Amino acid sequence: MAVGSTSETSHLVSTLICWSHCSDYPIYRDFCPYITNHGLGPRTFNGSHSWYRTHPHMLELVFHRRMLEYPCLTADSARADAVFLPYYAGIDALRYLYGRDVNSSASHGLDLYRFLRSEKPEIWERNNGRDHFLVMARPAWDFSRPPAPDQPAWGTSFLQLPELVNLTALTLESRPSPWQEHAVPSPTSFHPASLRRLESWLARARQARRANLMMFAGSVGVGSGPNIRRMIRDECEEEAAECEVVDCSGGVCDGDPIRYMRVMLRSRFCLQPAGDTAVRRSTFDGMVAGCIPVFFEERSAAEQFGWHVEEGEYGGLSVYVRKEEVVGRRVRVAEVLNGVSREEEMRMRERVLEMVMRVTYRRHGSSVGLRSIKDAFDLAVEGSIRRIKERLTFQSY
Ligand SMILES: *[C@@H]1O[C@H](CO)[C@@H](O)[C@H](O)[C@H]1NC(C)=O
Ligand SMILES: *[C@@H]1O[C@H](CO)[C@@H](O)[C@H](O)[C@H]1NC(C)=O
Ligand SMILES: *[C@@H]1O[C@H](CO)[C@@H](O)[C@H](O)[C@H]1NC(C)=O
């Protein structure tokens, strides 16, 4: 098994774009600081070893850095089973989503395509791009705009272009029945570099005193109609002794993991209601803290991250409460959770903690001991290679 990497040019181009425009976009005050440490962001404070102020949209940088130390990397594309494109798709997409190219968002990806066809055409032509993969560190929805140029619609058309239909894209959330993309976990702020650091953190999470029944971290300033977040907010106001809310409205939690990690460590269950999209980074933050996730729809996890957590494993490590039941006031979340026995809760927490490394991106340059455990990056690359093999086999019949 081997992974090739195309010439560094495309990476360089996107890096330059990124450096010159990182304070241009309204969504982040300024994302330049998040670029440091190869996309892990700055350390949470000077003495911290494993904790960083990580922005999930920087996963493209994290992935690229990790790829450089991947043991099966080859410069000889003829030997490669798969070709990794170090193109920072989500970062480059900012100019189409929010910037000067907003009116040509249907052409996002065409430059990359032309580059691949002209730079070393033999690499693309081996399999018509079906062995190429890349990371797009945003939900697939952001790249699924119908390419009709005149319609006002959100997103770029990267995943809709016939030129790019053969690529495999790793996104933070996938569409139902996706063809090109597969979801990978959002990075959390935890990036241990040795087994000792990992184990001491897990011991802390295991021993944490959990006074809260449940918690929710996210934006709570939601509309007035009945919806899941509003129900959760109401329930937490009524049962303040059992429930803690970390209000992340206005992006105040971005880059400030301490704000919610402390609360997750003292809570038994972490509520993960869908927001604008079904998947939440908070799910993985909570798991790192040993806080058992509570989902309200299947799209939030079970249908997304099969390479990292198999669909059948969720029953043993999470609680599922149907959104309609809560919104229709037929069940109260606290009641469901109080119905989970202590033994069952302990078993679930242990399963969650066993999963932590599978949904965590360890720091580049980690110790040999930690490298022997597969992390979210390793599982994503293995999954991509498996998928590419299947496609090549399937299509040759
Ligand atoms: C961290 O260390 C740097 C360099 O030594 C220093 O400039 C900075 O003020 C320190 N930050 C904090 C929060 O202590
Ligand atoms: C995009 O098109 C709209 C409508 O034609 C126009 O008002 C706007 O200025 C254009 N934006 C840019 C950045 O060119
Ligand atoms: C995608 O793959 C199919 C099957 O090999 C091929 O016919 C098609 O030309 C490819 N598309 C591009 C843009 O290379």
Side-chain angles (χ1 to χ4, degrees):
M1 178 183 85
V3 180
S5 189
T6 56
S7 97
E8 294 290 292
T9 318
S10 67
H11 144 239
L12 206 65
V13 170
S14 64
T15 309
L16 291 175
I17 289 166
C18 164
W19 278 118
S20 54
H21 295 285
C22 47
S23 48
D24 283 3
Y25 299 98
I27 37 166
Y28 322 104
R29 241 156 290 151
D30 175 0
F31 75 79
C32 301
Y34 294 119
I35 293 173
T36 54
N37 290 315
H38 301 282
L40 300 182
R43 292 176 190 272
T44 44
F45 48 88
N46 272 348
S48 74
H49 293 283
S50 307
W51 289 89
Y52 295 80
R53 302 182 186 277
T54 306
H55 197 295
H57 290 171
M58 299 300 131
L59 183 62
E60 292 148 9
L61 283 77
V62 174
F63 227 85
H64 185 195
R65 176 60 186 81
R66 283 291 304 281
M67 194 58 85
L68 297 178
E69 65 183 51
Y70 193 65
C72 304
L73 206 60
T74 172
D76 175 5
S77 59
R79 292 178 57 214
D81 292 319
V83 179
F84 174 66
L85 301 176
Y87 166 63
Y88 300 165
I91 292 175
D92 198 22
L94 293 173
R95 60 195 169 101
Y96 297 104
L97 296 174
Y98 304 102
R100 65 193 143 84
D101 294 325
V102 66
N103 289 334
S104 46
S105 53
S107 60
H108 176 212
L110 289 179
D111 289 348
L112 173 69
Y113 177 70
R114 286 188 208 107
F115 171 81
L116 295 171
R117 296 305 303 260
S118 62
E119 184 75 2
K120 288 204 178 136
E122 67 281 7
I123 300 181
W124 178 272
E125 283 159 16
R126 265 188 341 163
N127 290 301
N128 292 314
R130 283 176 296 152
D131 50 3
H132 287 42
F133 72 108
L134 81 167
V135 183
M136 308 182 80
R138 302 179 71 92
W141 307 108
D142 290 350
F143 308 107
S144 310
R145 181 187 206 269
D150 300 334
Q151 282 166 24
W154 170 250
T156 83
S157 302
F158 191 103
L159 292 175
Q160 301 281 350
L161 295 177
E163 288 85 349
L164 300 173
V165 76
N166 292 340
L167 298 181
T168 290
L170 307 182
T171 57
L172 300 185
E173 172 166 351
S174 63
R175 298 164 291 178
S177 352
W179 167 247
Q180 283 143 298
E181 77 269 19
H182 198 284
V184 298
S186 287
T188 67
S189 283
F190 181 55
H191 308 285
S194 72
L195 260 183
R196 189 166 67 82
R197 302 255 182 243
L198 170 67
E199 280 163 4
S200 73
W201 172 262
L202 292 179
R204 180 169 170 198
R206 201 170 272 125
Q207 286 153 18
R209 271 201 61 243
R210 297 179 189 269
N212 291 330
L213 173 67
M214 58 194 195
M215 71 83 71
F216 166 69
S219 156
V220 287
V222 287
S224 52
N227 66 52
I228 183 70
R229 290 201 175 194
R230 188 185 160 81
M231 298 307 291
I232 286 172
R233 187 185 60 188
D234 292 352
E235 208 179 303
C236 283
E237 274 168 11
E238 285 161 32
E239 318 205 22
E242 301 222 279
C243 181
E244 197 164 349
V245 171
V246 179
D247 186 355
C248 293
S249 309
V252 294
C253 296
D254 286 359
D256 193 2
I258 300 146
R259 202 182 270 262
Y260 49 83
M261 290 307 297
R262 283 193 203 290
V263 182
M264 287 172 166
L265 273 175
R266 60 173 179 256
S267 303
R268 291 155 57 196
F269 296 93
C270 284
L271 310 184
Q272 305 297 355
D276 293 341
T277 60
V279 166
R280 308 193 67 221
R281 164 196 166 152
S282 172
T283 300
F284 305 107
D285 294 317
M287 288 175 74
V288 168
C291 186
I292 298 164
V294 181
F295 297 116
F296 300 89
E297 46 194 289
E298 300 281 357
R299 294 288 311 148
S300 291
E303 294 174 2
Q304 299 272 348
F305 304 103
W307 294 346
H308 294 80
V309 183
E310 283 172 28
E311 205 168 336
E313 292 179 294
Y314 283 97
L317 59 79
S318 66
V319 176
Y320 180 65
V321 187
R322 277 189 36 187
K323 181 173 71 177
E324 293 74 17
E325 301 282 300
V326 181
V327 175
R329 297 178 194 274
R330 285 187 290 276
V331 303
R332 292 177 65 80
V333 182
E335 240 168 61
V336 176
L337 299 180
N338 275 319
V340 178
S341 73
R342 280 288 170 158
E343 297 71 46
E344 180 63 8
E345 181 189 335
M346 293 303 162
R347 262 202 305 279
M348 284 184 172
R349 179 156 306 113
E350 207 38 52
R351 288 299 294 141
V352 167
L353 293 173
E354 283 166 18
M355 289 287 167
V356 164
M357 219 38 224
R358 285 163 63 175
V359 299
T360 290
Y361 297 86
R362 65 168 173 76
R363 209 189 104 97
H364 50 271
S366 299
S367 71
V368 176
L370 189 58
R371 284 179 200 216
S372 67
I373 302 179
K374 283 179 186 159
D375 78 339
F377 169 87
D378 295 316
L379 294 171
V381 175
E382 279 180 15
S384 305
I385 292 174
R386 244 186 352 258
R387 183 181 193 275
I388 285 167
K389 275 202 176 129
E390 279 162 18
R391 286 211 168 171
L392 294 178
T393 318
F394 172 72
Q395 296 213 356
S396 62
Y397 287 109

